[in-house]
Amino acid sequence: MARLNKETLLDWYRQMVLIREFEETCQQLYNEKRITGVYLHLYSGHEAVGVGAIANMEIGKDHIITAYRDHGIALALGVDPNRVMAEMMGRVDGVSGGKGGSMHLASLNHHFWGGYAIVGGHLPLASGIALEAKYNETGAFVICFVGDGATNNGYFHEAVNIAGVWDLPVIWIIENNGFGMGTETSRAAGNPILHERANSYGVKDLGRVDGQDVMAMYEKVNEAAQHVWSGGGSAMIEAITYRYRGHGVSDKQYDTRFSEELEEWKQNKDPITVFRRQLEEKYKDIGSELDDIEAAQREIVAKSVEFAENSPFPDTLEQLYANVYVEES
Amino acid sequence: MASRNLPMREALRHALLEEMHRDESVFVMGEEVAYWQGTHRVTRGFLEEFGEKRVLDTPISEMAIGGVAVGAAMAGLRPVAEFMTINFAFLALDALVNHAAKIHYMFNGMFKVPLVFRAATGWGDQATATHSHMPEPIFAHFPGMYVGTPSNSADAYGMLKASIRDDNPVLFTESIGLYSKPGPMPDEDEDFILPIGKGNIVREGTDVSIFTYARGVEWATKAARELEQDGVSVEVVDLRWLRPLDTELIFESFKKTNRAVIVEESLPMYSFGSELAAQIQENCFDYMDAPIKRVSAHDVPLPYSKYLEAMALPDSDKVVAAVKEII
């Protein structure tokens, strides 16, 4: 377990604030048509899930993969915000050279195997990555984020089952934010208690965790890591969280359809507010340090926008055709 | 070259064995590849030789087979994943075309996906509509993955070895009708690699070119021998690869003979033949002495009844007839 000293906790706070600031800036930039395209899925409201989980990773050794709501994961891992923002805008300095966009961020150095946009499509990839860890006995595990919607398609069944059969070191974290696109989880899942599915596959069921509480999230994923390290194979967690924005930015109905519920979560269960309260209880006079962190993150995001807008668009035929195939084997 | 005469399934088996001995990161996975020794017997004896670590039986889970291979390849292994038949690969279509083929590009070269999907393909055993397919052109539609399909033992051996060593994803399809067909094979110690994307002139001729692959080569060669009796000189070109397509070889052959018949075991609509005819027309128009003819299966799902099935499929007689129409 990481040492949960003040420095560590402040770093988690920094990551969460950075993600929120980045995401809300993306929304703003989209409204201003400075970020274009139809797909931009924001992580606002989920910050504690990503940050608490990633805090258990040895970055560059352990592996991580997620779906299209991937900006927060990249930032929590420490991927350069400038290059993440440049990818949002499709610029050459983007992490994927402007070819991936919002949904396809990745970083080889961080063992961040990417965001994927086919619902559930990345789940068997997680099992495959875990197979390599087992095959080469690296001692690494894979964190795979799974949206609640993805638990209802065939990929979930096949990927989790094969991880169960082969005892692969995967921590499946279901991010249950209550909606698969615009459909409530309860209207899409025969059994809406999603973590219970683990039992069907011989995967360790670690139950639900409050995904708005970064401390709780950290501890629950640590329990999963202990299970994986003990050679017990994969484990599943259901993190209960909430989405502050629509499924994607083009989803205009969400805020009005669920405004009352949304306000309730924002007022009483906001992960950043919850964590700030925990820190203020634990450390006296920490307020100004937290304020400084917030100001610094605003500055970082503002600079990322500047960096991105100064980066050129790829626009040559050579760039269009680059990397269809690995040229030299 | 010919020091052994082996059926294609044995050629494939030897290629796999040798590559697994050469490179620790190569492993095989698929339905019944381990304890059952492979449904097509290509992995016979592998479990005993390499153990459970490198010979993995999977559940009947094609989406998982496809996706697990992609993830393992990204992380540094070199999976050779078997689909018992190409029909089952349709269940994994997303893993193949959305993931295997696109990941290198989508992440701008950050990740490599060095895997081989092997799949049995073809029709003609009354396997009925859902188990009778030669759908290679569907997969060859997508940039990012190579698609190869051998016509004989030596090619199967050299092409599979090249596929396993390549850093790109490869769909390698094996015509069921050829598995048991013996053919000459090079010595085991030869580093016999047939480069990806290179076709082969099986038989030289001057009057007409037949472009084909896999089992079509047999029908084309038989037709060529018959036509020779009538004084028609036929060039038979085995493309070996549907992607990358050896257009240089195709155009060169066409410019020599000025006539083309395209033979495909597959269906006619949006097919290998459609693509080839278009490319020849666009690139060799000044050399055309006759319309390009296509010999394909009939445009129907394959029926069970053996007479109907035979009627639906191409054969050497149909190839002879097509050549005679344009000579």
Side-chain angles (χ1 to χ4, degrees):
Chain A
M1 263 181 116
R3 289 186 49 198
L4 298 189
N5 53 24
K6 189 176 172 190
E7 194 188 346
T8 304
L9 299 181
L10 284 178
D11 193 47
W12 295 0
Y13 191 75
R14 178 192 63 76
Q15 291 173 33
M16 289 166 70
V17 171
L18 171 65
I19 294 168
R20 178 70 57 84
E21 182 64 24
F22 189 92
E23 296 298 65
E24 294 308 304
T25 301
C26 283
Q27 176 75 54
Q28 180 69 27
L29 294 166
Y30 179 82
N31 293 343
E32 294 167 6
K33 297 190 166 37
R34 292 157 76 189
I35 289 178
T36 51
V38 285
Y39 294 118
L40 187 64
H41 311 90
L42 303 178
Y43 208 57
S44 299
H46 287 228
E47 293 89 350
V49 179
V51 171
I54 289 168
N56 285 283
M57 289 175 62
E58 191 179 319
I59 311 272
K61 177 191 175 192
D62 296 316
H63 307 278
I64 187 160
I65 191 163
T66 190
Y68 41 80
R69 205 173 299 286
D70 58 354
H71 316 169
I73 303 307
L75 295 171
L77 285 165
V79 181
D80 181 358
N82 290 350
R83 298 199 57 209
V84 177
M85 188 60 87
E87 192 60 38
M88 300 297 157
M89 297 190 189
R91 311 288 174 134
V92 287
D93 293 306
V95 290
S96 302
K99 286 194 174 129
S102 154
M103 302 188 291
H104 306 302
L105 304 172
S107 173
L108 184 58
N109 293 338
H110 297 82
H111 281 194
F112 174 32
W113 300 98
Y116 293 84
I118 299 288
V119 172
H122 65 296
L123 272 62
L125 272 58
S127 295
I129 293 159
L131 177 63
E132 186 278 334
K134 190 177 177 185
Y135 192 98
N136 288 328
E137 298 174 20
T138 63
F141 60 77
V142 181
I143 287 180
C144 179
F145 290 105
V146 183
D148 50 82
T151 64
N152 298 319
N153 79 16
Y155 265 132
F156 179 87
H157 167 71
E158 297 199 16
V160 180
N161 182 59
I162 211 162
V165 173
W166 290 347
D167 287 331
L168 299 175
V170 186
I171 300 173
W172 307 98
I173 301 176
I174 300 169
E175 286 187 89
N176 185 352
N177 62 22
F179 296 88
M181 294 195 293
T183 302
E184 294 90 327
T185 308
S186 58
R187 293 201 294 126
N191 172 8
I193 305 170
L194 304 176
H195 64 86
E196 288 183 351
R197 297 179 187 200
N199 296 309
S200 311
Y201 307 113
V203 163
K204 179 77 173 173
D205 176 11
L206 290 174
R208 280 184 165 165
V209 58
D210 179 359
Q212 305 307 91
D213 179 346
V214 70
M215 299 290 288
M217 195 65 215
Y218 170 75
E219 279 160 23
K220 181 60 88 175
V221 176
N222 193 265
E223 198 184 333
Q226 303 289 345
H227 175 78
V228 169
W229 284 326
S230 74
S234 74
M236 187 173 288
I237 293 164
E238 181 181 0
I240 305 299
T241 185
Y242 205 76
R243 210 174 64 196
Y244 284 5
R245 296 289 181 177
H247 163 66
V249 284
S250 53
D251 172 5
K252 306 270 195 276
Q253 290 181 48
Y254 177 80
D255 288 5
T256 49
R257 268 176 78 195
F258 302 103
S259 57
E260 213 170 296
E261 189 178 283
L262 182 60
E263 268 322 297
E264 162 71 15
W265 280 81
K266 280 186 176 173
Q267 288 304 314
N268 300 319
K269 301 178 198 167
D270 181 77
I272 295 175
T273 312
V274 166
F275 191 38
R276 186 170 176 125
R277 207 178 301 133
Q278 288 168 342
L279 288 171
E280 283 170 343
E281 276 168 25
K282 196 173 165 78
Y283 304 103
K284 282 200 183 105
D285 307 324
I286 202 172
S288 65
E289 279 183 75
L290 299 177
D291 292 344
D292 288 348
I293 287 173
E294 289 177 14
Q297 303 322 298
R298 278 195 292 275
E299 181 70 13
I300 286 168
V301 173
K303 282 198 167 142
S304 77
V305 176
E306 200 181 317
F307 173 87
E309 289 190 324
N310 283 325
S311 173
F313 286 106
D315 60 358
T316 66
L317 258 187
E318 196 188 349
Q319 286 164 324
L320 178 66
Y321 275 91
N323 296 313
V324 175
Y325 292 97
V326 181
E327 296 298 339
E328 293 294 325
S329 272
Chain B
M1 170 183 86
S3 64
R4 304 185 275 179
N5 216 34
L6 294 176
M8 195 174 86
R9 77 173 79 247
E10 280 300 309
L12 293 162
R13 188 171 155 273
H14 281 283
L16 261 175
L17 270 173
E18 287 166 31
E19 292 307 301
M20 284 181 74
H21 279 301
R22 192 185 56 81
D23 183 350
E24 274 283 316
S25 64
V26 179
F27 72 99
V28 298
M29 57 183 276
E31 291 153 8
E32 317 222 311
V33 296
Y35 283 88
W36 201 252
Q37 309 285 313
T39 49
H40 302 291
R41 290 295 182 269
V42 171
T43 54
R44 182 175 52 82
F46 276 41
L47 179 63
E48 199 182 13
E49 187 139 7
F50 300 105
E52 281 185 332
K53 179 185 160 187
R54 297 179 68 194
V55 188
L56 284 86
D57 276 331
T58 65
I60 305 173
S61 284
E62 282 79 12
M63 291 166 88
I65 294 170
V68 164
V70 172
M74 290 171 77
L77 299 180
R78 304 184 86 86
V80 180
E82 180 177 304
F83 292 113
M84 204 185 296
T85 94
I86 193 87
N87 312 275
F88 306 157
F90 291 154
L91 288 158
L93 199 62
D94 174 69
L96 270 65
V97 307
N98 273 324
H99 295 110
K102 294 180 186 172
I103 279 171
H104 186 66
Y105 186 80
M106 192 158 78
F107 296 108
N108 205 30
M110 200 181 318
F111 306 127
K112 293 178 191 172
V113 190
L115 59 78
V116 179
F117 291 119
R118 292 182 40 245
T121 182
W123 41 26
D125 293 320
Q126 291 186 269
T128 81
T130 57
H131 282 60
S132 299
H133 278 293
M134 282 287 285
E136 287 75 11
I138 291 174
F139 297 93
H141 176 71
F142 299 98
M145 192 165 62
Y146 294 139
V147 179
T149 179
S151 66
N152 62 70
S153 296
D155 283 12
Y157 179 68
M159 287 168 66
L160 183 56
K161 283 168 81 84
S163 301
I164 293 169
R165 293 184 194 189
D166 199 89
D167 277 344
N168 290 288
V170 177
L171 176 68
F172 196 87
T173 72
E174 301 155 9
S175 188
I176 289 180
L178 298 174
Y179 272 138
S180 300
K181 200 174 167 271
M185 271 268 293
D187 282 331
E188 202 163 320
D189 58 355
E190 263 186 65
D191 211 6
F192 186 76
I193 301 289
L194 294 175
I196 288 174
K198 291 288 171 215
N200 181 35
I201 296 178
V202 175
R203 182 192 164 97
E204 301 222 14
T206 52
D207 297 332
V208 58
S209 298
I210 301 181
F211 299 111
T212 188
Y213 62 95
R215 220 163 52 156
V217 175
E218 196 178 320
W219 303 322
T221 309
K222 188 163 178 245
R225 281 197 298 267
E226 279 182 44
L227 287 157
E228 198 175 31
Q229 310 299 316
D230 300 332
V232 182
S233 169
V234 179
E235 179 145 301
V236 177
V237 182
D238 177 0
L239 269 308
R240 288 178 174 151
W241 297 91
L242 270 58
R243 183 185 275 273
L245 194 57
D246 194 347
T247 47
E248 199 182 327
L249 185 71
I250 295 164
F251 300 156
E252 207 176 286
S253 175
F254 186 81
K255 285 174 182 175
K256 182 169 73 171
T257 63
N258 313 112
R259 289 178 172 82
V261 171
I262 300 164
V263 179
E264 56 194 341
E265 201 174 339
S266 192
L267 298 165
M269 295 281 283
Y270 315 109
S271 66
F272 166 75
S274 319
E275 174 63 26
L276 224 60
Q279 291 223 24
I280 293 169
Q281 186 273 136
E282 278 176 357
N283 293 282
C284 310
F285 186 72
D286 290 345
Y287 295 84
M288 290 178 83
D289 282 352
I292 296 166
K293 293 296 292 182
R294 291 189 289 159
V295 178
S296 312
H298 277 269
D299 199 22
V300 296
L302 260 277
Y304 168 71
S305 180
K306 66 178 175 183
Y307 297 106
L308 288 177
E309 187 190 45
M311 197 190 299
L313 294 174
D315 57 26
S316 62
D317 292 343
K318 290 177 185 173
V319 179
V320 170
V323 170
K324 284 185 173 167
E325 278 185 54
I326 58 168
I327 282 295

